[in-house]
Amino acid sequence: MKFIKKEEFKDSNWSAGVTTEVFIYPEGASVGEKNFDFRISTATCKDKESVYTPYTGFYRYITPIDNVMNIESDGNKFTLDPFEVLFFDGNHSTKSSGDVRDFNLIYKKGQEAKMFSLNINNFDFKADKRAVIFNYDSELKVQGKDFEKFSAIYLEEEKVKIEGKGRIIICEF
């Protein structure tokens, strides 16, 4: 298990706000070069509407984590409540609106991945392969250590006990 603290996240500006890379695999890959298998990030949007960068050859999961998000992908419109997850093709024409911070998993086609959110009250989790668990704003402990707000843990084929009550986002790949 590896804790990934907020200070280790990589921030970069984009046309409508800031994107914060939480995790990228393989290590050293680049979102700009699109040479990654999996990328987990969170982003803010300050514009009334934002148009998403196409990710041909990738799939995406997204969820708002602080406000309602209106999103349109390939002509289909959705209104997502916080922690409600949407899956879509990275090549689809996609745009969203709303003053929101979102959480994303982008992964290369041919790989297997899933993202979901859970309300927990003491929780045991086993990563069959790899997993990243994100804690947005809950008071939690993992294996007796503080699981800080706005941080993550990375797991490889291991089991952890998360103590406390709150909401988490799990990405498995």
Side-chain angles (χ1 to χ4, degrees), residues 85-122:
V85 176
L86 177 68
F87 172 81
F88 59 100
D89 192 301
N91 192 43
H92 287 172
S93 173
T94 304
K95 59 185 175 181
S96 70
S97 62
D99 180 15
V100 67
R101 175 180 285 279
D102 62 36
F103 187 86
N104 307 270
L105 167 62
I106 303 173
Y107 69 97
K108 190 180 288 183
K109 290 181 179 178
Q111 304 290 330
E112 290 186 23
K114 60 184 171 180
M115 182 176 102
F116 53 97
S117 67
L118 293 173
N119 276 319
I120 62 166
N121 186 0
N122 296 324

Side-chain angles (χ1 to χ4, degrees), residues 3-163:
F3 283 90
I4 310 169
K5 297 186 176 197
K6 181 180 179 178
E7 300 81 44
E8 299 171 59
F9 297 171
K10 296 176 186 171
D11 288 344
S12 57
N13 293 318
W14 66 289
S15 61
V18 176
T19 184
T20 302
E21 185 174 275
V22 173
F23 181 84
I24 195 164
Y25 185 87
E27 191 175 324
S30 165
V31 68
E33 294 177 28
K34 296 182 181 172
N35 62 354
F36 60 91
D37 291 336
F38 308 95
R39 180 181 188 252
I40 298 168
S41 64
T42 178
T44 59
C45 181
K46 63 181 181 195
D47 289 352
K48 185 176 180 180
E49 181 177 271
S50 64
V51 177
Y52 288 36
T53 302
Y55 277 89
T56 302
F58 291 83
Y59 290 117
R60 297 180 78 158
Y61 284 96
I62 194 166
T63 184
I65 55 178
D66 62 358
N67 285 315
V68 171
M69 170 190 256
N70 297 302
I71 186 166
E72 182 177 333
S73 183
D74 199 34
N76 298 302
K77 295 181 180 183
F78 305 92
T79 299
L80 302 177
D81 289 324
F83 296 95
E84 185 176 0
V85 176
L86 177 68
F87 172 81
F88 59 100
D89 192 301
N91 192 43
H92 287 172
S93 173
T94 304
K95 59 185 175 181
S96 70
S97 62
D99 180 15
V100 67
R101 175 180 285 279
D102 62 36
F103 187 86
N104 307 270
L105 167 62
I106 303 173
Y107 69 97
K108 190 180 288 183
K109 290 181 179 178
Q111 304 290 330
E112 290 186 23
K114 60 184 171 180
M115 182 176 102
F116 53 97
S117 67
L118 293 173
N119 276 319
I120 62 166
N121 186 0
N122 296 324
F123 179 68
D124 291 323
F125 178 78
K126 183 178 184 299
D128 293 327
K129 293 182 183 177
R130 295 180 193 88
V132 171
I133 302 175
F134 180 74
N135 175 16
Y136 177 53
D137 65 357
S138 300
E139 298 286 338
L140 302 173
K141 291 187 178 288
V142 177
Q143 309 295 87
K145 297 179 182 175
D146 285 339
F147 186 1
E148 296 176 11
K149 294 178 182 181
F150 207 79
S151 71
I153 55 172
Y154 172 67
L155 306 168
E156 285 187 10
E157 298 177 0
E158 57 195 304
K159 185 176 180 179
V160 294
K161 180 172 187 64
I162 302 174
E163 300 170 73

